[in-house]
Amino acid sequence: MLGLAFAILISVGIPIMSFLYACKKRRLIPFLLGMVAFVVSQVMLRIPLLNFLGRNSTDYIFFSLSHPFLFAIFLGLTAGLFEETARFVAMRFFMKQLEWQSGFLFGIGHGSIEALIFVGIPVLKYAFTATFNPFGAPFFIGGVERFFAIILHIGLSIIVLQAVVQRKIVYILVAILTHTVVNAIVGILPLYISADDAVVVIEVVLAVVALAVFSYTIWIKRKGILE
């Protein structure tokens, strides 16, 4: 029950509290744009495209089965390309508030809707019906993963915002590379170590990368690169 409560707190509580905070700070547009960026890039584009290839392309299926290491990198790269490009487009053409706080709330919006869709809603279904088990994974691990994923999305959003403000594409490439590495590790580690060990290592790697990226964005703020 504690694991279930923790998962709900992270994957449902954070989105709700973040929405209220964005309203209070009059930064609702960046928050909503972050949500839209994820929904468009993943739910509407990338995931349907990959599902289509999985159903209709024998080359795609053969590649996934015969080269699992490269396939994991491919999946990570597509996640990075789709999500970071969506962040850039949303910030460059639709977001007028380009301060650090706006990037922060954009990232929370992006991470919150992901947490709500992939963990929050399944966990709530389980809590109310006790018949739906999201992925069969422990609730606590799911909550921890979503927490650090949100932290990572905040960091990546601010890095992309830096690219928009300074007009330097290198920061977009950094965001894509970071996103690719984190996502690829999720698929690569289970190929070489046991599932239980892989879960622990993946969470540790995610936490380290997320905190490192977020620390960089704090440095950006202190240096006055983003106000």
Side-chain angles (χ1 to χ4, degrees), residues 8 25 59-60 71 106 110 119-120 131 199 210 216 222 227:
I8 293 174
K25 293 295 182 179
D59 290 336
Y60 178 85
F71 185 67
F106 184 104
H110 194 107
V119 176
T131 59
V199 168
Y216 169 73
R222 289 178 177 176
E227 296 299 330

Side-chain angles (χ1 to χ4, degrees), residues 88 91-93 95-96 98 158-173 216 225-226:
F88 173 76
M91 292 178 179
R92 174 66 178 81
F93 298 102
M95 195 166 86
K96 303 303 181 183
L98 301 179
I158 294 175
I159 289 175
V160 173
L161 179 58
Q162 184 180 4
V164 173
V165 172
Q166 296 188 324
R167 299 182 182 274
K168 292 183 178 180
I169 193 173
V170 65
Y171 294 113
I172 300 176
L173 298 179
Y216 169 73
I225 296 174
L226 292 177

Side-chain angles (χ1 to χ4, degrees), residues 63-157:
F63 175 60
S64 67
L65 296 175
S66 59
H67 301 286
F69 184 92
L70 294 178
F71 185 67
I73 295 176
F74 167 77
L75 292 180
L77 179 60
T78 57
L81 284 171
F82 275 74
E83 289 191 55
E84 303 313 320
T85 300
R87 277 191 237 268
F88 173 76
V89 171
M91 292 178 179
R92 174 66 178 81
F93 298 102
F94 300 101
M95 195 166 86
K96 303 303 181 183
Q97 299 164 306
L98 301 179
E99 305 87 354
W100 188 93
Q101 188 178 57
S102 296
F104 177 87
L105 286 167
F106 184 104
I108 291 183
H110 194 107
S112 290
I113 193 63
E114 181 183 44
L116 188 61
I117 291 173
F118 293 130
V119 176
I121 293 175
V123 167
L124 286 176
K125 286 182 178 179
Y126 179 85
F128 286 105
T129 66
T131 59
F132 185 83
N133 191 342
F135 318 122
F139 298 117
F140 181 76
I141 294 297
V144 170
E145 178 182 301
R146 286 305 97 200
F147 174 78
F148 285 111
I150 291 173
I151 296 296
L152 179 61
H153 281 304
I154 293 171
L156 293 176
S157 294

Side-chain angles (χ1 to χ4, degrees), residues 40-53:
V40 171
S41 63
Q42 284 282 16
V43 179
M44 297 178 63
L45 295 178
R46 177 177 174 269
I47 294 175
L49 176 59
L50 294 179
N51 288 339
F52 175 81
L53 292 174

